[in-house]
Amino acid sequence: MGDAVLFDARDDGIAVITLNRPETRNCLSSDVRDGLRDAWYRFEADSSLRVGILTGAGDTFCAGGDLKEMVRTGMQVPPRDMFPLPYDTVELSKPTIAAVNGAAFAGGWMIAQACDLCVASTGAKFAVTEVKVGRSSPWASPLIHMIPQRIMMEILLTGKPITAERAYEIGLVNRLAEPETLLDRAIGLAKEILVGAPLSVKAARETVMLATEMGRSAALHAARAASERCYTSNDAQEGPRAFAEKRTPEWTNT
């Protein structure tokens, strides 16, 4: 993946993926897109890695798409697979956390939104700026499942940034952190997920996503099916046994 995106496979099961073009505010240039796609594939393929954290080098998370590239290529509608988005153009089965350390504008908001959870620095800012440059943001449609309609409408119609505190208030951000503790806070959240049984975590994530995709009855039916492997696993027996024996469970993911 070169040096445009850094990949740190930690021994604790956490992968830290870092956009590494601070001189261009980590904009989504072709080398960053290629590196990020490779990083997501590597994360998914490595069974020892259970949670992925996405962040940016320097003082910006991601300033968005590469506008110079758009001008140079005369880009109109972006190719469907142009941006490597978790659970959209990149198939992932594991939880992801965006650790937003500065501006997350346009495409930067897009990739942060695509992650399951978000931890933000108190100095971070978020904006969907497409109206400022004559572009559009169809990728923002899932926001309606995250924040209220009128707030979403204002964000998209004005293109004005919101603070990390405001993002937390409206439910876009899970946790806030001081800039110097951002990655530690994100790792701490990842470790809370790692405590759970892998198959239970997978089923829980699928349940949330199914609930946003379907009506109530259909989601209940689909979630039951998605949970069957968890219920019939060895870990489903190990968990209650460990609780009864007052010890830490030893998950085998089987």
Side-chain angles (χ1 to χ4, degrees):
M1 64 189 68
D3 63 354
V5 175
L6 306 180
F7 191 96
D8 179 18
R10 294 164 48 100
D11 292 338
D12 55 8
I14 300 169
V16 178
I17 299 168
T18 306
L19 307 181
N20 190 40
R21 285 289 183 263
E23 68 277 8
T24 59
R25 304 182 71 206
N26 297 318
C27 77
L28 295 171
S29 54
S30 59
D31 59 341
V32 172
R33 297 196 304 268
D34 290 345
L36 185 54
R37 185 174 289 104
D38 289 346
W40 288 133
Y41 288 157
R42 179 176 171 184
F43 167 61
E44 179 68 11
D46 190 335
S47 61
S48 70
L49 298 173
R50 291 183 50 201
V51 182
I53 296 174
L54 176 64
T55 193
D59 57 6
T60 301
F61 176 72
C62 175
D66 186 345
L67 296 181
K68 292 181 180 178
E69 176 188 18
M70 294 179 189
V71 171
R72 185 176 66 254
T73 61
M75 184 181 298
Q76 295 181 337
V77 180
R80 178 68 182 83
D81 61 351
M82 181 173 179
F83 299 103
L85 299 179
Y87 322 108
D88 183 2
T89 58
V90 177
E91 292 294 329
L92 294 183
S93 60
K94 309 173 187 180
T96 53
I97 301 170
V100 178
N101 51 306
F105 289 177
W109 180 312
M110 175 180 68
I111 60 175
Q113 175 187 300
C115 295
D116 289 315
L117 301 168
C118 182
V119 179
S121 159
T122 53
K125 289 187 177 181
F126 298 80
V128 181
T129 56
E130 275 77 354
V131 295
K132 301 288 190 179
V133 293
R135 305 293 291 179
S136 190
S137 52
W139 52 263
S141 56
L143 266 178
I144 200 63
H145 297 296
M146 302 179 186
I147 65 177
Q149 177 180 323
R150 292 195 177 212
I151 295 174
M152 176 180 172
M153 190 72 78
E154 180 179 351
I155 287 169
L156 267 62
L157 294 186
T158 67
K160 289 186 175 181
I162 60 172
T163 64
E165 288 80 3
R166 179 60 172 158
Y168 177 77
E169 288 174 0
I170 64 177
L172 182 70
V173 168
N174 296 89
R175 298 181 184 181
L176 295 174
E178 293 303 318
E180 63 274 11
T181 66
L182 173 67
L183 190 55
D184 287 341
R185 194 78 190 274
I187 289 171
L189 178 56
K191 287 183 175 180
E192 291 180 31
I193 296 170
L194 289 173
V195 171
L199 291 175
S200 295
V201 169
K202 185 175 186 295
R205 191 195 170 278
E206 289 180 1
T207 296
V208 174
M209 299 312 293
L210 288 167
T212 62
E213 294 288 341
M214 303 177 176
R216 180 179 178 274
S217 296
L220 279 169
H221 180 77
R224 290 187 186 108
S227 296
E228 186 169 342
R229 185 183 175 207
C230 172
Y231 280 133
T232 59
S233 68
N234 293 323
D235 283 348
Q237 302 302 315
E238 165 64 7
R241 186 184 303 116
F243 179 82
E245 296 173 359
K246 298 182 179 180
R247 59 175 175 81
T248 302
E250 297 179 6
W251 308 125
T252 62
N253 199 21
T254 61

